[in-house]
Amino acid sequence: MTTSVLNAAPKKPSAMYMTLFMCFCIAILEGFDIQSIGVVASSVQSEFGLTKGELGWIFSAATLGMFPGAIVAGRLSDKIGRKNILIISVALFGFMSLMTAFTTDFTSLVIVRFLTGIGMGGALPLIIAMSSESVPERWSATAVSVMYAGVPFGAGITAIIAGGFTGVGEWKNIFYLGGLTPIALVPILIFLLKETYSKKQATKDDLNANTDFKFILFGEGRTATTIQIWLSFLGTLIVLYFILNWLPVLMQNNGLSMKSATNIQLAYQLGGVCGVLILGWLLSNIKLRSVVIMIYVGILIGLTALTFSKSLTALVFASGISGFFITGGQSALYALAARAYSKSMRGTGVGVAVAMGRIGSFLGPLLAGVIFSYNSSSSFVIGSSIPVILIAGVAAILLANNIAKRESTNTAALTKG
């Protein structure tokens, strides 16, 4: 696999920090929007007269839109550069998030949320790639994790703000804020965001690299790595969105007040911020395989605790542990995906990986809705996600082994050279 010398070269600190900060801001906005529909679900369901099944489609519409958004934006970014495609994606999800407040029925809400997802899906692989490319190779995993910490941080902001919008129709304020802020960020991105990859910046090896879609994913021995990325993304995001969207509903269904359910959700997001930062640092400092094993053992412990906890204190603690490892684990997967592909093909590789994960994030809320309609016990619903995470964990461990072997081989080759 070709390794770009650009990614190994030291970056100017000012450009590096500005890129990371801009990507972090976009991640906050993505996290805010992702969580927004979950925290207003009860209000939307009541106002629009939605069934539980229809509510599941509302949850999944945006994540379904992320599928084509991630593939198209990732592919275009490898061909014409990251910056402009990212700005277009941010503008799209900001405008469509704003339009969510003006929907009047189930159909219009699904369509607008789907279009929001296209913009969000386009932005995500690009902020992953740009964060990875803005720093020396050794710190790419940490950079991606620092950036991705913005997602749970933004989601936590949503959970806090939602507590002040409990009146009839006030749920729309969440989407006014979540839409206008990205739109306002666009001119700032135009002037301050630094490009990390374009054809003008590409090395000779990058320009001569095979850009065939099939080759990028499966050429030069990448078949096993790509499949492992897909399986780990699919399973982990099924569980992440399962919990992200349905946790407040499940807690309220068990008789907890909205305030208690919000505290549980906030603990999940705070745990996620800590997990993203700590696990991202560990990825750059200890063996990949050890970190990945730690992540999936931690997810199993968190889900088990969440399944069997009864008191509010125990639920808050279990939620925090789950957020630490589930959200932190997904951040680690993004970092691993960025390391699995060279710079000239990173947008495509990460974009397709994100798209595969979106299938999981689409299926997660729908499956939870189906399970919930047959058995309303939160313990049963949450516990049913455990087999899925076991499959994802095995794939992620194999992925970490493959990346470690490839990087060791590349290092040995460079040393001999």
Side-chain angles (χ1 to χ4, degrees):
M1 182 181 294
T2 302
T3 302
S4 171
V5 295
L6 283 175
N7 206 43
K11 307 296 189 295
K12 292 181 179 180
S14 59
M16 178 181 73
Y17 294 137
M18 181 57 67
T19 299
L20 285 177
F21 179 70
M22 291 290 102
C23 290
F24 177 74
C25 290
I26 296 169
I28 290 176
L29 296 174
E30 289 233 2
F32 188 96
D33 191 274
I34 289 169
Q35 186 61 54
S36 62
I37 199 67
V39 297
V40 302
S42 297
S43 299
V44 172
Q45 183 180 22
S46 177
E47 182 169 326
F48 288 9
L50 303 178
T51 65
K52 288 185 175 68
E54 288 174 330
L55 191 60
W57 277 102
I58 299 300
F59 286 151
S60 296
T63 55
L64 182 61
M66 289 183 180
F67 183 89
I71 293 177
V72 173
R75 188 72 170 151
L76 288 175
S77 76
D78 281 345
K79 292 182 174 295
I80 63 177
R82 316 276 193 234
K83 178 177 176 177
N84 290 337
I85 303 301
L86 177 58
I87 291 172
I88 292 170
S89 298
V90 171
L92 178 60
F93 88 68
F95 179 73
M96 287 302 163
S97 181
L98 179 62
M99 289 301 99
T100 304
F102 296 94
T103 55
T104 56
D105 55 26
F106 170 71
T107 302
S108 62
L109 187 53
V110 169
I111 292 172
V112 168
R113 294 305 297 163
F114 176 80
L115 293 173
T116 305
I118 290 178
M120 292 168 62
L124 185 55
L126 301 190
I127 58 177
I128 292 169
M130 294 183 78
S131 296
S132 175
E133 292 162 357
S134 67
V135 299
E137 184 74 30
R138 183 183 185 281
W139 294 104
S140 63
T142 300
V144 172
S145 296
V146 169
M147 175 278 298
Y148 191 74
V151 174
F153 184 74
I157 293 174
T158 312
I160 293 172
I161 291 176
F165 297 134
T166 57
V168 177
E170 290 186 355
W171 62 270
K172 296 181 179 181
N173 293 328
I174 292 290
F175 295 100
Y176 292 142
L177 183 60
L180 290 173
T181 307
I183 292 172
L185 183 64
V186 166
I188 299 175
L189 294 174
I190 291 173
F191 289 105
L192 296 183
L193 183 65
K194 307 300 181 182
E195 179 65 89
T196 61
Y197 178 80
S198 67
K199 289 303 180 184
K200 291 181 179 180
Q201 298 171 311
T203 64
K204 184 177 180 180
D205 284 343
D206 288 333
L207 292 173
N208 293 332
N210 189 335
T211 59
D212 176 72
F213 198 78
K214 184 178 179 181
F215 176 81
I216 289 174
L217 299 177
F218 306 113
E220 296 182 330
R222 284 186 291 274
T223 299
T225 296
T226 293
I227 292 174
Q228 288 156 6
I229 289 173
W230 290 359
L231 285 175
S232 57
F233 268 60
L234 181 67
T236 306
L237 278 165
I238 282 177
V239 176
L240 191 154
Y241 276 80
F242 190 132
I243 300 297
L244 196 64
N245 285 311
W246 280 98
L247 190 58
V249 177
L250 291 170
M251 294 300 101
Q252 290 180 63
N253 188 69
N254 275 13
L256 294 177
S257 66
M258 183 175 179
K259 182 179 180 180
S260 296
T262 299
N263 287 337
I264 291 171
Q265 189 74 13
L266 187 58
Y268 181 90
Q269 300 301 349
L270 290 174
V273 173
C274 295
V276 166
L277 294 174
I278 293 173
L279 293 173
W281 182 84
L282 290 176
L283 280 174
S284 295
N285 288 276
I286 65 176
K287 290 183 179 180
L288 290 179
R289 186 172 182 272
S290 300
V291 179
V292 172
I293 290 174
M294 180 194 310
I295 287 168
Y296 284 92
V297 170
I299 292 175
L300 289 172
I301 292 172
L303 290 175
T304 302
L306 205 55
T307 299
F308 294 105
S309 296
K310 300 299 180 183
S311 70
L312 178 59
T313 301
L315 284 168
V316 168
F317 181 75
S319 183
I321 293 295
S322 297
F324 184 97
F325 288 105
I326 295 175
T327 304
Q330 185 55 45
S331 172
L333 289 180
Y334 287 137
L336 292 181
R339 288 170 68 167
Y341 300 98
S342 63
K343 193 166 188 177
S344 63
M345 57 183 69
R346 185 170 292 139
T348 300
V350 175
V352 175
V354 168
M356 293 301 296
R358 292 312 112 182
I359 295 177
S361 57
F362 170 73
L363 291 175
L366 286 181
L367 291 173
V370 171
I371 296 169
F372 187 59
S373 65
Y374 284 100
N375 189 324
S376 60
S377 167
S378 62
S379 296
F380 182 84
V381 176
I382 295 171
S384 65
S385 66
I386 291 177
V388 178
I389 212 66
L390 286 171
I391 296 172
V394 171
I397 292 168
L398 293 174
L399 170 64
N401 284 339
N402 279 347
I403 292 176
K405 288 178 182 178
R406 177 182 62 79
E407 291 181 346
S408 176
T409 300
N410 287 344
T411 299
L414 289 171
T415 302
K416 286 183 180 180

